Amino acid sequence: MFRQALQFLTQRSLAFSVFVFVIVFLIATFFVNHEFERIRDNQKHQAFVNLLTLGARLEGAINSHLVVLRGLKAEIAINSDITQSEFARLVDEYLQTQLSISHIALAPDLIITNIYPVLGNESALGVDYRDVPDQFVTVQESVINNQVILTGPVDLVQGGSALIARVPVFIGVKRDILWGLISVVINDKELFANAGLHEKLWGLDIAIRGKDGKGSEGAVFFGHASTFDNDPVIVDVFLPLGKWQLAASAKGGWQVSLQEIIYFWAAALLVSLVTAMATYLIASNYREKLVAIDTANYRASYDGLTGLSNRYHFTQRFKKIINEHQRHGNIFALFFIDLDYFKEVNDNWGHHAGDELLRLFSQRMGHIVRSDDLIARLAGDEFVIVLNDIETATQAELLAEKLQLELGEPYLIGGQYLSVTHSLGIAIYPQDGQSADVLLQNADRAMYEAKRSGKNRIYFFNDELSLEVKRHVQVHNEILDGIRRGQFQLYLQPIMSLKDRKISKCEALIRWFHPERGVVSPVDFIPIAEQTGAIRALGDWVLEEACHLSNQLTERGIDVQIAVNRSVAEFFPKDAVERWLNIIDQYEVDHHKLVFEITESLLMDGGGSQLDKINQLREQGIAFAIDDFGTGYSAINYLRHYPVDFLKIDRSFVTDIMDDVQDRTLVEVIIKMGQTLGIRVVAEGVETKEQLAMLDEYGCDFIQGFYLGKPLPFDEFIAFYRSR
C-alpha cells in the first residue's frame, strides 16, 4: 500500500512538489511566528528590565525625600515647642540637598502653624486638616498606622498639585500622645524627571497608576491610561504604605521590525522552495525508475501490439483461475482462436496491415467478452479466452457464435475493408482437463479440428457435449424465432374455489406449435430456455399475452385471476421488476388479477435481492404462489417469513392421496400449515371425485386438475367458464 501511495505521488511530481512546498511553508510559518513571538517576548523582557531599573531609581528618589520627613519627626519629638525661626533654619538645611521638596509644614493638633518657605504658601497657614475631607482621610490613615504615607498627587490649598508625604508625631514618655503631623510637599514632576521618568522612553509609552498607594485599583496619574490596555509590562514601585504600578507598552503593540520580518519570511520561502525543488527532482527520478520498472514488467506480461496478456502472464493467471474454480466447484470454458488465412493477409497486404488487423481483432474481442474474463495473445495470430463461471457449455457456444459473427465483420485498414474469419476450439473445465497444459492442449486440438473441417468453425473437444450444445443452441434460436413468428400460445387451466364452487382463477400454460415438430412439450424446451437465457424473452411474451387475455376476459365479464409461471433465471436482471410492471401497466391490467408462480428454490437460494424483488411486486398488488410445493425444500420454518399468498401442492402427492397414507398425511399437513400461516392452498392434479371430497374435507381452498378441466385455448376456456 505504501508503494502504491508513493507511486501515485511520484506520478504527479509537480503536484507533489507543490504539496511539499505548502507543507514546508506551513511548518516554516509556524517557526517564523514562533520566532516573532520570541522577539516580542525579548522586547517585553528588555522593557521589564528597564522598568525595574527605573522603578528602583524612583523608589530611591522617594526614600531620599522620606529621610527628611523621618529626620524632622525625630527633631519634633524632642522639641515639640519648636519656633518658626528654629523650624525655618532646620528645614533650610534639608532644602540644601537638591531634593524636589516644595515646602514643609507642621500641623500641631492637625492645624498648620508652621510652614517653610512661607512665601507663596501663606494661604496654607491655619488650615485645619479636619476641614479638608480629601486630605483628612489619608491624615487619619497615617495617624492610625503611625507610618509615613505618600499621597497624591493632590490639589494644594495654595494652588497647584504635588505629592504629599505625611508622618504623625507622638510625644510623651511612652510616645502615646499625638502631637500633630509633619507634611512634606514634593514636586512630582521634578521628582519624576530627576528619576529619569518620562512619558516616552525607549520608544515605549510609560505610565504610573496607584494614586495614594492603591496599586492596580488606583487612578493613573502619570502618562496615559491607554498604556495599561496595550499588553503592558508592569513593575511595582513600593511605598512606605501601598504601592504604585509602573507600566510600559508599545502603542501599536509589540512589533517585529520590518527588517526582521523580511529576513525571516525570505528564509522561510527559500527553505520551502529548495525543499520543493529537491522533492521534484527526487520524485521525477523515482518516477522515471518506476516507469522503467513498470515498462519492464509490462513487456514481460503483456503483448506490445495488442495490450493483451502474453503467454507468460496468461499461464500465471490461468493457473490461479483453475485453482479458484476447483475450490468453488465452478466450471469455465477455454476458447482457442486462430485466424484463418492470416499468412495471406501479411503476404498480400503487408505486415503493417497484419499488425493492425491483430490489434483491431483483439479490441473487438475485448468489447464482446465480460470484463472479468481473461483474453491473451499466445503467439502470432493465436488467441485464448477464459470464460469464467459459466453454468452450462451452451453459454460458451452462444458466446462463441457471437464472437464468430461480430469478429467476422469487415475491418477498416488503410482506407480499405478487410474481412477475416477464425477457427475456434473450446475445452470445458473440468471434464476436458484439470490442468493448464491439458486444457490448452485440448482446446488447441479442437481448434485444429475446426480448421480441418473447413475453417470458420466452432468445435468442442468433447464430441458428445458438442452435439448436446448444438441441439441446445438450435432450440434457443428456434424459441426466439418462434416468438417472432407467433408459434407460441397460452392455454388457460381453470382453478376452482372449494368454498363456493366457482372458477375464480386459472393458470396460464405455454404451448409451442412448431411448424416441423408439431406441438413441443414445455418439458422439452423450458429447461433449455433457462440454460441459454431465452427464458427471459419467453417469459416477457407470456406476461404480455397473459395481460392481453386478462383484458379479453374482463371485456367478456369474466373476473378471474391469471397465474403466470416465473423462472428463477427471470429474477436475475436488475431491471426485472421495472420491466414487468411496465408490461402490466401498458395493458392497464389490475395488478390484483395476476399471480406469479415461483418455485421454492428461488426463495431458498435466490438471496436478498430476489426477495426484495418479490416484496416490491407484492407491494404493487401482485400475488405470489409457491408452485410444486413439497418437492423442494419445504422448510416450514422458512415459510413463515416468505412473502407468498398461495401454496400449490404438487400433483405427485394428490395422485395417490386415496391409497398412500404418507401422501394423504402430507397433504393434510400442508393444508393445515397454510391455514395456520394464513396462506391459501391450491391442490394440483385433482382427477377424481373422491380426491375432491377428501381435499374438501381437509379444508383445501382451491383445486386444479383434469377432474375440473384441462388446459384450454382461450375461446374454449370462455365456453367452459360460462358452462359452469
Side-chain angles (χ1 to χ4, degrees):
M1 182 178 291
F2 175 76
R3 186 176 185 274
Q4 291 176 342
L6 197 59
Q7 283 181 326
F8 175 80
L9 293 174
T10 53
Q11 286 171 359
R12 295 161 176 79
S13 302
L14 183 59
F16 185 40
S17 301
V18 172
F19 173 76
V20 170
F21 173 82
V22 172
I23 295 299
V24 174
F25 191 74
L26 288 175
I27 295 173
T29 299
F30 171 79
F31 283 106
V32 167
N33 288 330
H34 183 269
E35 186 64 20
F36 286 170
E37 192 65 30
R38 188 190 65 78
I39 292 173
R40 285 189 284 267
D41 288 342
N42 285 342
Q43 290 177 349
K44 294 173 71 174
H45 178 72
Q46 186 60 48
F48 180 74
V49 171
N50 291 338
L51 279 186
L52 283 176
T53 303
L54 184 61
R57 288 206 304 266
L58 187 57
E59 284 185 8
I62 292 171
N63 288 328
S64 297
H65 289 72
L66 297 183
V67 168
V68 174
L69 192 61
R70 292 188 179 96
L72 282 173
K73 177 180 178 180
E75 290 289 343
I76 298 301
I78 297 172
N79 183 15
S80 59
D81 296 327
I82 190 171
T83 64
Q84 175 64 25
S85 60
E86 291 174 334
F87 173 67
R89 186 175 61 256
L90 182 61
V91 171
D92 190 55
E93 292 180 8
Y94 286 123
L95 295 182
Q96 299 300 320
T97 60
Q98 305 298 317
L99 296 176
S100 301
I101 298 175
S102 298
H103 61 273
I104 301 175
L106 299 180
D109 195 25
L110 305 184
I111 299 173
I112 298 175
T113 58
N114 301 84
I115 193 167
Y116 186 86
V118 178
L119 184 63
N121 298 306
E122 295 88 347
S123 59
L125 289 172
V127 172
D128 189 337
Y129 283 120
R130 286 178 285 261
D131 297 331
V132 186
D134 291 344
Q135 297 189 31
F136 187 63
V137 173
T138 57
V139 168
Q140 283 183 309
E141 187 176 359
S142 176
V143 171
I144 292 171
N145 291 289
N146 190 19
Q147 191 171 352
V148 176
I149 288 183
L150 182 65
T151 60
V154 299
D155 294 328
L156 300 175
V157 175
Q158 61 271 40
S161 65
L163 296 173
I164 300 178
R166 294 187 176 94
V167 65
V169 179
F170 289 89
I171 60 177
V173 177
K174 296 182 179 182
R175 295 288 192 268
D176 56 353
I177 301 172
L178 178 65
W179 173 84
L181 198 71
I182 303 174
S183 299
V184 174
V185 178
I186 303 172
N187 187 325
D188 54 334
K189 295 179 178 58
E190 185 178 330
L191 174 70
F192 295 154
N194 291 338
L197 184 64
H198 302 281
E199 292 187 6
K200 288 284 186 180
L201 283 176
W202 321 298
L204 303 176
D205 294 332
I206 307 297
I208 304 176
R209 69 182 176 188
K211 185 178 179 181
D212 298 333
K214 293 182 179 180
S216 60
E217 296 180 0
V220 176
F221 60 87
F222 182 86
H224 298 282
S226 60
T227 302
F228 289 90
D229 299 328
N230 295 326
D231 188 22
V233 175
I234 298 175
V235 298
D236 292 329
V237 177
F238 292 98
L239 307 176
L241 189 64
K243 65 180 179 180
W244 292 342
Q245 284 193 331
L246 179 62
S249 68
K251 189 170 185 178
W254 304 96
Q255 298 291 333
V256 181
S257 69
L258 180 60
Q259 182 179 358
E260 289 175 315
I261 291 174
I262 294 173
Y263 170 77
F264 281 111
W265 282 120
L269 185 62
L270 181 61
V271 169
S272 301
L273 285 173
V274 170
T275 306
M277 291 175 63
T279 302
Y280 178 80
L281 293 174
I282 294 171
S284 297
N285 291 334
Y286 188 74
R287 181 184 59 190
E288 292 176 1
K289 179 181 177 181
L290 290 178
V291 169
I293 294 173
D294 290 342
T295 301
N297 290 335
Y298 181 85
R299 289 176 178 173
S301 302
Y302 294 93
D303 176 54
L305 177 64
T306 63
L308 301 177
S309 295
N310 59 19
R311 180 182 290 272
Y312 168 77
H313 190 236
F314 168 77
T315 302
Q316 302 302 313
R317 292 187 60 186
F318 191 36
K319 289 178 180 178
K320 292 182 180 179
I321 290 172
I322 293 174
N323 291 334
E324 290 175 1
H325 284 72
Q326 185 180 31
R327 185 165 58 252
H328 297 104
N330 298 334
I331 66 173
F332 66 83
L334 175 65
F335 291 0
F336 202 108
I337 303 171
D338 187 272
L339 272 65
D340 299 328
Y341 307 110
F342 182 68
K343 183 177 182 301
E344 285 76 1
V345 173
N346 280 330
D347 292 342
N348 297 327
W349 292 63
H351 288 280
H352 174 74
D355 289 346
E356 183 66 9
L357 174 61
L358 293 175
R359 190 179 64 81
L360 295 175
F361 187 83
S362 63
Q363 284 182 357
R364 200 174 289 184
M365 276 195 299
H367 294 150
I368 297 171
V369 302
R370 299 169 301 185
S371 59
D372 59 341
D373 294 330
L374 174 60
I375 309 176
R377 181 189 180 200
L378 298 186
D381 59 340
E382 291 182 348
F383 297 87
V384 288
I385 299 175
V386 178
L387 191 62
N388 282 303
D389 297 328
I390 61 173
E391 296 180 4
T392 65
T394 306
Q395 288 180 261
E397 170 76 5
L398 291 172
L399 179 63
E401 286 191 349
K402 185 177 181 181
L403 283 169
Q404 191 175 51
L405 180 65
E406 297 193 23
L407 294 177
E409 291 292 323
Y411 297 86
L412 180 61
I413 299 175
Q416 298 185 31
Y417 285 97
L418 174 63
S419 295
V420 65
T421 60
H422 66 273
S423 299
L424 191 150
I426 303 176
I428 303 295
Y429 172 88
Q431 59 220 58
D432 293 337
Q434 298 185 26
S435 68
D437 292 338
V438 173
L439 284 167
L440 276 170
Q441 185 180 55
N442 291 340
D444 190 23
R445 288 176 181 174
M447 183 273 294
Y448 274 108
E449 184 63 26
K451 280 190 176 294
R452 191 183 64 80
S453 300
K455 298 183 174 60
N456 196 24
R457 297 283 191 276
I458 299 169
Y459 261 69
F460 280 83
F461 174 74
N462 189 313
D463 291 339
E464 293 181 4
L465 180 62
S466 179
L467 291 174
E468 181 184 351
V469 168
K470 295 294 184 185
R471 186 176 70 85
H472 283 188
V473 171
Q474 180 182 356
V475 173
H476 168 83
N477 293 329
E478 288 180 351
I479 289 172
L480 299 181
D481 187 60
I483 294 173
R484 290 191 295 268
R485 295 178 181 273
Q487 296 173 4
F488 292 94
Q489 186 176 343
L490 279 190
Y491 276 36
L492 304 178
Q493 185 173 21
I495 301 174
M496 183 178 73
S497 169
L498 292 181
K499 182 178 181 181
D500 54 14
R501 295 302 197 267
K502 290 184 178 180
I503 306 300
S504 59
K505 303 177 182 299
C506 64
E507 181 178 357
L509 299 168
I510 193 168
R511 296 292 182 264
W512 186 5
F513 296 92
H514 195 280
E516 298 175 1
R517 297 199 297 272
V519 180
V520 182
S521 171
V523 176
D524 294 329
F525 68 85
I526 291 296
I528 296 176
E530 289 180 333
Q531 288 185 18
T532 65
I535 191 67
R536 295 172 189 171
L538 196 60
D540 287 350
W541 178 88
V542 169
L543 182 57
E544 288 190 36
E545 185 65 13
C547 291
H548 170 68
L549 295 182
S550 178
N551 286 336
Q552 294 293 312
L553 291 171
T554 301
E555 290 176 4
R556 288 165 173 76
I558 299 174
D559 184 16
V560 295
Q561 273 186 318
I562 297 181
V564 180
N565 288 282
R566 299 279 87 179
S567 168
V568 174
E570 293 181 77
F571 279 84
F572 290 146
K574 294 182 179 179
D575 64 341
V577 172
E578 181 181 357
R579 192 175 71 255
W580 293 339
L581 290 176
N582 285 338
I583 291 173
I584 297 169
D585 293 338
Q586 283 175 7
Y587 285 89
E588 299 181 352
V589 175
D590 183 354
H591 294 183
H592 295 88
K593 289 191 175 184
L594 293 174
V595 179
F596 281 2
E597 293 193 3
I598 59 176
T599 60
E600 296 170 76
S601 60
L602 175 65
L603 295 170
M604 296 296 292
D605 301 331
S609 63
Q610 265 67 313
L611 289 177
D612 288 341
K613 292 183 176 72
I614 292 173
N615 284 320
Q616 291 175 35
L617 291 166
R618 292 186 78 236
E619 289 173 1
Q620 295 296 321
I622 297 172
F624 274 80
I626 298 182
D627 198 12
D628 302 330
F629 188 77
T631 61
Y633 299 90
S634 302
I636 297 175
N637 186 46
Y638 292 140
L639 190 62
R640 292 186 304 166
H641 307 290
Y642 287 159
V644 296
D645 306 278
F646 300 97
L647 295 179
K648 299 191 74 174
I649 303 175
D650 187 68
R651 67 180 66 251
S652 63
F653 301 113
V654 176
T655 299
D656 297 326
I657 192 174
M658 303 305 300
D659 304 317
D660 191 312
V661 176
Q662 188 175 12
D663 284 353
R664 186 163 58 247
T665 302
L666 181 59
V667 168
E668 183 180 8
V669 168
I670 293 174
I671 293 172
K672 297 301 182 186
M673 181 178 63
Q675 292 172 347
T676 302
L677 298 176
I679 301 174
R680 288 168 289 179
V681 179
V682 182
E684 294 184 294
V686 179
E687 298 182 357
T688 67
K689 182 178 180 180
E690 289 75 19
Q691 291 172 342
L692 170 61
M694 182 168 289
L695 290 167
D696 197 7
E697 180 184 346
Y698 289 159
C700 188
D701 298 290
F702 302 93
I703 65 161
Q704 178 181 352
F706 284 2
Y707 174 77
L708 178 63
K710 63 181 182 179
L712 300 169
F714 180 71
D715 292 337
E716 293 181 26
F717 177 81
I718 293 176
F720 172 83
Y721 181 88
R722 288 177 175 167
S723 69
R724 299 288 298 187

